[in-house]
Amino acid sequence: MIDDVITSAKQKDGYDKEAYIKKKREQKEYAFKLIDLSLEEMKTSPNFLMDYINIQSRFDKYSPRNAILVAKQLPTATYLKDRKDWYELKVSYVNSSPKKIIVLEPGSQYTNKDGKTLTNFNTKELIDISETNYKPNFKVQDKKLVLQALLHECPADIKAVDSLDSGKLCEVNTDDNAIYICRSDNYDEIISAVSVELAKLNMFEKTEELDDNKAKVVGYMLCKKYGIEPLVTISHYDDPLYIEEHF
């Protein structure tokens, strides 16, 4: 019958356009709903907040929304690629149906009835390295070079001291536009301390406020990115999307 012919024509090579459109629409609805629920959960769940911060530190180029999506779907993710990229690396999957992580990527722009230019988002399916047999060669960072890189374009004077009255290893002083660093051979501790104070300094230039909690989050993420154990405690914070300003 003609109906069967039309259906077959729509499904060339097993591709069903209408089913694909429906799937993508449902994925996008799922993603935005998951983001909304996750933002509320972040306000009451320190554990999920830390999942998000750890994911953002490992995927520092991801938008906060995509970091939230990954943290909610697979907080242990370390290395994500889509199926095409994994195929080009000639990897095989541990299971025949690997777990897919839904993220958002910007698409076309449009103007709404109020004259505002908005961006339409599409969904993308990613697969974590834990679902494959791929063995990456991760480079171990030289901690001395990490510290040098941090201080290379420091917007304040850098002064080495034997100790600070506050008991800290590093402290920024906005009055004389200087950052004081205690002499030490323990690069983990120094980098952890310096990263927090540098974050304070950079935020102060924009807001003229020294926000200790925000700076600790930024410092924590930076340390995690370079394989350094951060020596800071993250206080609970109700507005995680501020990190988009720094990453």
Side-chain angles (χ1 to χ4, degrees):
M1 294 180 65
I2 190 64
D3 290 339
D4 296 330
V5 174
I6 293 173
T7 300
S8 297
K10 289 181 178 180
Q11 297 179 345
K12 292 179 181 179
D13 301 322
Y15 174 68
D16 186 333
K17 182 178 179 180
E18 291 180 0
Y20 177 80
I21 293 173
K22 181 175 182 291
K23 173 187 174 183
K24 285 296 182 180
R25 182 174 62 250
E26 290 175 346
Q27 283 185 342
K28 185 157 67 172
E29 290 173 354
Y30 164 79
F32 280 112
K33 183 177 180 179
L34 190 60
I35 290 170
D36 289 340
L37 292 173
S38 298
L39 285 173
E40 290 303 312
E41 183 180 354
M42 246 182 234
K43 297 177 182 179
T44 58
S45 172
N47 289 336
F48 180 60
L49 177 61
M50 290 308 303
D51 284 343
Y52 161 72
I53 291 172
N54 283 321
I55 286 293
Q56 188 77 84
S57 68
R58 294 199 290 272
F59 300 92
D60 59 308
K61 294 185 180 178
Y62 278 32
S63 69
R65 290 182 178 85
N66 278 340
I68 287 172
L69 286 171
V70 175
K72 194 61 182 174
Q73 295 172 85
L74 188 65
T76 58
T78 58
Y79 194 65
L80 294 166
K81 288 183 176 292
D82 62 20
R83 187 179 287 273
K84 175 177 174 292
D85 288 337
W86 283 127
Y87 176 79
E88 289 177 353
L89 289 173
K90 297 180 171 56
V91 306
S92 59
Y93 297 112
V94 176
N95 300 306
S96 57
S97 299
K99 178 179 176 62
K100 299 179 182 65
I101 308 301
I102 305 300
V103 296
L104 296 167
E105 58 181 5
S108 59
Q109 292 187 327
Y110 64 96
T111 303
N112 67 7
K113 60 181 181 180
D114 297 324
K116 293 182 179 180
T117 300
L118 303 175
T119 301
N120 186 34
F121 285 89
N122 303 311
T123 60
K124 187 175 184 177
E125 297 177 352
L126 300 176
I127 299 170
D128 186 53
I129 191 173
S130 59
E131 298 284 343
T132 76
N133 65 349
Y134 186 68
K135 304 296 182 185
N137 183 22
F138 291 120
K139 181 180 179 181
V140 178
Q141 299 290 340
D142 184 313
K143 294 174 184 178
K144 183 177 180 179
L145 292 179
V146 171
L147 181 58
Q148 288 177 343
L150 280 175
L151 298 175
H152 179 62
E153 295 187 3
C154 179
D157 291 334
I158 305 169
K159 299 182 179 181
V161 295
D162 291 325
S163 64
L164 290 165
D165 293 340
S166 62
K168 293 182 177 180
L169 289 173
C170 180
E171 191 168 45
V172 63
N173 187 319
T174 57
D175 293 333
D176 58 4
N177 192 36
I179 183 166
Y180 295 88
I181 305 173
C182 291
R183 295 181 177 89
S184 173
D185 292 327
N186 190 324
Y187 286 112
D188 285 75
E189 291 183 354
I190 292 296
I191 291 171
S192 181
V194 167
S195 61
V196 173
E197 296 304 304
L198 281 176
K200 283 185 188 178
L201 194 58
N202 278 279
M203 286 187 282
F204 182 81
E205 289 186 330
K206 298 178 181 179
T207 64
E208 295 189 354
E209 293 181 5
L210 291 175
D211 193 318
D212 193 56
N213 284 340
K214 289 182 180 180
K216 284 181 178 179
V217 173
V218 175
Y220 176 96
M221 291 166 60
L222 191 146
C223 287
K224 284 296 218 179
K225 175 183 177 180
Y226 290 106
I228 295 161
E229 192 59 34
L231 303 176
V232 296
T233 302
I234 304 299
S235 299
H236 202 54
Y237 191 64
D238 288 345
D239 186 18
L241 288 184
Y242 81 88
I243 296 173
E244 188 170 15
E245 299 172 8
H246 307 288
F247 286 83

